Amino acid sequence: MAYETIIVETRDHVGLIRLNRPEALNALNAQLVEELGEALARFDADDAIGAIVLTGSEKAFAAGADIKEMQGKSFVEAFREDFITRNWEAAARTRKPVIAAVAGYALGGGCELAMMCDFILCADNAKFGQPEINLGVMPGAGGTQRLTRFVGKSKAMEMNLTGRFMDAAEAERSGLVSRVVPADSLVDEALATAAKIAEKSLLAVMATKEAVNRAYETTLSEGVRFERRMFHALFATEDQKEGMEAFIDKRQPQFKDR
Ligand code: CAA
């Protein structure tokens, strides 16, 4: 598949997607969103892939939705095509883990896209923000909701209302990112983390991801019940037998994703 706005590679069992519109700081236009959705779906369906890394350039993960493309939209167009949400949720729909590796700007839709991934590793030059308020609008792909869940009401409200950017240190302190690494080792670090995940049983990985995400959608008691049922279900897999047998035999497990 030939893409024009993203670069797609595989590294062993890891899928790597680079957003690639350098002329627009990786602004997310319709073509990019379409191509990204397609690439994520392909990796999700590929038995050889265990985890996915999504990254941009050193200067920008993505500077938001493409303002030049959306400037002329009418309410009727935006509403009828369900602008933003319909295609944009691909990263959140992916069942295999997706790691966002963020260097430089992750603004507006770029920040929202990173938050749709399962966790964010960022470079020390990363800047996160929801500056839509400066354009006379507001976030449209989860910025008021996911950012609030990540960093709490006070910071999310301030960032959404003022458009202030958060640097990497503040993002780590606030729980928006899992780790900060030097910019020049960001992609290697993300690939190594993804490779570590890809070594595990894919069934256990997917069930774990689903259970963690359930924490955001339900009550504690229902979430814990869901977790326990998924835990029980994993005893039906060959990988559970292999994983526990390997521990007892003091050897590395050979998971078959069955
Ligand atoms: N859309 C379209 N083009 C963009 C863009 C965007 N979101 N962000 C940057 N660009 C373009 C610029 O127009 C510029 O193109 P030209 O050279 O053709 O003029 C090029 O990328 C480089 O940008 P700058 O010259 O502005 O670079 P800078 O280093 O001076 O500033 C920046 C960097 C602070 C990120 C600045 O570009 C900026 O503020 N960008 C817009 C950020 C923004 O408002 N994002 C939210 C968009 S709305 C949204 O995302 C809605 C939603 O919730 C989904």
Side-chain angles (χ1 to χ4, degrees):
M1 176 90 195
Y3 297 112
E4 290 174 356
T5 61
I6 57 174
I7 298 168
V8 176
E9 298 167 45
T10 50
R11 303 277 180 93
D12 295 325
H13 297 293
V14 174
L16 172 63
I17 303 174
R18 292 175 192 272
L19 307 180
N20 187 39
R21 294 188 68 215
E23 72 286 359
L25 299 180
N26 293 333
L28 305 161
N29 65 1
Q31 184 183 1
L32 187 152
V33 171
E34 185 78 29
E35 291 185 355
L36 176 59
E38 169 82 32
L40 285 167
R42 277 170 183 258
F43 279 144
D44 219 20
D46 183 342
D47 288 342
I49 296 296
I52 301 162
V53 171
L54 177 61
T55 195
S57 68
E58 273 211 14
K59 184 154 189 218
F61 177 73
D66 192 309
I67 299 167
K68 292 167 189 167
E69 188 182 70
M70 102 187 120
Q71 179 193 16
K73 258 189 209 309
S74 68
F75 164 77
V76 172
E77 283 165 344
F79 185 73
R80 287 193 66 153
E81 71 192 49
D82 205 5
F83 176 52
I84 302 292
T85 314
R86 203 178 44 162
N87 297 326
W88 281 57
E89 296 275 339
R93 276 199 306 270
T94 304
R95 295 184 70 207
K96 290 174 185 167
V98 186
I99 303 173
V102 172
Y105 296 111
L107 304 178
C111 187
E112 292 167 309
L113 176 60
M115 292 190 292
M116 282 179 216
C117 299
D118 295 302
F119 59 96
I120 305 174
L121 285 183
C122 84
D124 44 19
N125 72 342
K127 286 202 175 358
F128 298 88
Q130 298 293 159
E132 290 90 339
I133 197 82
N134 298 326
L135 302 170
V137 289
M138 62 182 284
T144 64
Q145 304 302 302
R146 289 195 178 92
L147 187 63
T148 309
R149 283 167 165 78
F150 274 103
V151 305
K153 178 179 168 184
S154 202
K155 263 186 202 295
M157 193 67 95
E158 187 199 348
M159 287 175 68
N160 276 297
L161 290 179
T162 66
R164 175 174 83 79
F165 297 167
M166 195 186 259
D167 67 15
E170 187 181 0
E172 187 179 30
R173 254 192 341 266
S174 317
L176 179 56
V177 306
S178 67
R179 270 187 297 137
V180 182
V181 299
D184 57 7
S185 59
L186 174 70
V187 174
D188 287 345
E189 196 59 48
L191 287 170
T193 306
K196 208 173 283 177
I197 295 169
E199 283 171 8
K200 322 284 186 209
S201 164
L202 181 63
L203 299 166
V205 163
M206 287 167 64
T208 302
K209 166 172 168 161
E210 206 172 323
V212 172
N213 282 332
R214 189 57 73 98
Y216 286 96
E217 306 287 351
T218 191
T219 61
L220 178 63
S221 60
E222 284 307 312
V224 169
R225 179 193 298 271
F226 178 79
E227 178 194 86
R228 194 159 56 243
R229 295 294 175 241
M230 297 294 266
F231 171 68
H232 295 160
L234 290 173
F235 282 80
T237 67
E238 290 178 26
D239 285 348
Q240 174 267 330
K241 307 292 175 241
E242 168 62 9
M244 295 195 182
E245 204 171 285
F247 175 81
I248 290 162
D249 295 348
K250 301 188 187 305
R251 61 174 173 82
Q252 286 302 310
Q254 301 294 319
F255 292 123
K256 298 202 176 96
D257 303 334
R258 290 204 289 260

